[in-house]
Amino acid sequence: MVLVCEKCGGSVTDCRSPFGGLGGISFNVQQLLNTVVGQGTTLSERVLFHLRLPRLLVALFAGASLAASGLLLQGVVRNPLAGPEIIGITSGAGLGAVFVLVILPNAPVEAVPIAAFIGAFVAFGCVYLAAWQGGVSPARLALVGIAVSAFCAAGTNLLVAIAKLRVAQALVWLVGSTYARTWDQLWRLLPWFLILLPLAWLISRWLDLMALGEDLPLLKT
């Protein structure tokens, strides 16, 4: 269901009806197929191509990317239970993003994902260095990661507490949402997906070798 205005001429998201025509709208399968082939109404085309389709594709590509990154992470740390929230990546990314949203509110939109990437990289680097003792065991990596995650989460909570009017924006970014995603966000995501996902597939064999452990002699053919 999508909130739209009936019998209005402007954009679906900002149009107004003198009769207060604000409500839900639904399409059957035939109407949906007609819209896809270009035989739908103006309203159905706006709802499908400007509201629903960008959100659907962003969710699809983002979900596939998250699944692939989780698999890579488990292969690198040789722990099938490892996740980005356990070894500090999630909390580090959240801290970096919230820092920009709260401390640098006038920064461009592109600065938020860059700050999140830097925060995740620094947090995982700290976890890896702290867990290194002539090698990294999965158990030690998880324990250190939980500690670093707690530290980053505390920093995020502190920034959210002092954010006042910007707290809603920070919380939405932390939780994640496909609400109001547009084609612009999809085009920003798509190049990374098309480049990095095939690259992940190419290095999958090396991940299988790493899963055997560091103490087992390996012969690569």
Side-chain angles (χ1 to χ4, degrees):
M1 303 296 286
V2 183
L3 292 179
V4 297
C5 298
E6 299 176 348
K7 300 180 181 179
C8 52
S11 171
V12 174
T13 56
D14 62 1
C15 58
R16 294 292 183 272
S17 170
F19 304 101
L22 183 66
I25 186 172
S26 61
F27 302 114
N28 57 38
V29 176
Q30 185 60 45
Q31 290 174 319
L32 180 62
L33 293 177
N34 290 339
T35 304
V36 171
V37 299
Q39 298 179 358
T41 64
T42 302
L43 179 61
S44 64
E45 291 179 354
R46 287 172 179 165
V47 171
L48 178 62
F49 295 116
H50 294 280
L51 293 179
R52 286 305 188 189
L53 191 57
R55 294 173 61 180
L56 175 64
L57 294 178
V58 167
L60 175 66
F61 291 127
S65 300
L66 290 173
S69 63
L71 179 62
L72 292 174
L73 178 62
Q74 292 174 356
V76 170
V77 302
R78 304 190 311 278
N79 188 339
L81 299 178
E85 71 281 356
I86 295 178
I87 58 176
I89 294 178
T90 300
S91 297
L95 179 59
V98 173
F99 179 86
V100 172
L101 291 173
V102 174
I103 306 301
L104 304 172
N106 296 324
V109 177
E110 292 77 9
V112 177
I114 294 175
F117 177 82
I118 295 174
F121 184 82
V122 171
F124 182 70
C126 293
V127 171
Y128 199 85
L129 291 176
W132 179 269
Q133 292 183 2
V136 177
S137 69
R140 189 164 57 245
L141 190 70
L143 292 175
V144 176
I146 291 173
V148 173
S149 293
F151 176 82
C152 293
T156 301
N157 291 335
L158 176 62
L159 291 174
V160 169
I162 65 177
K164 297 181 180 180
L165 296 179
R166 292 186 295 274
V167 64
Q169 183 183 9
L171 291 178
V172 168
W173 203 96
L174 287 173
V175 174
S177 174
T178 59
Y179 174 75
R181 297 303 91 184
T182 64
W183 292 106
D184 289 338
Q185 281 86 18
L186 177 64
W187 302 138
R188 294 174 187 173
L189 172 64
L190 193 58
W192 299 101
F193 179 86
L194 296 177
I195 294 173
L196 296 180
L197 194 65
L199 182 61
W201 179 78
L202 290 175
I203 65 175
S204 60
R205 184 185 179 191
W206 282 267
L207 291 177
D208 292 337
L209 295 176
M210 293 177 63
L212 297 176
E214 298 177 351
D215 299 328
L216 184 65
L218 300 176
L219 177 62
K220 178 182 171 184
T221 59

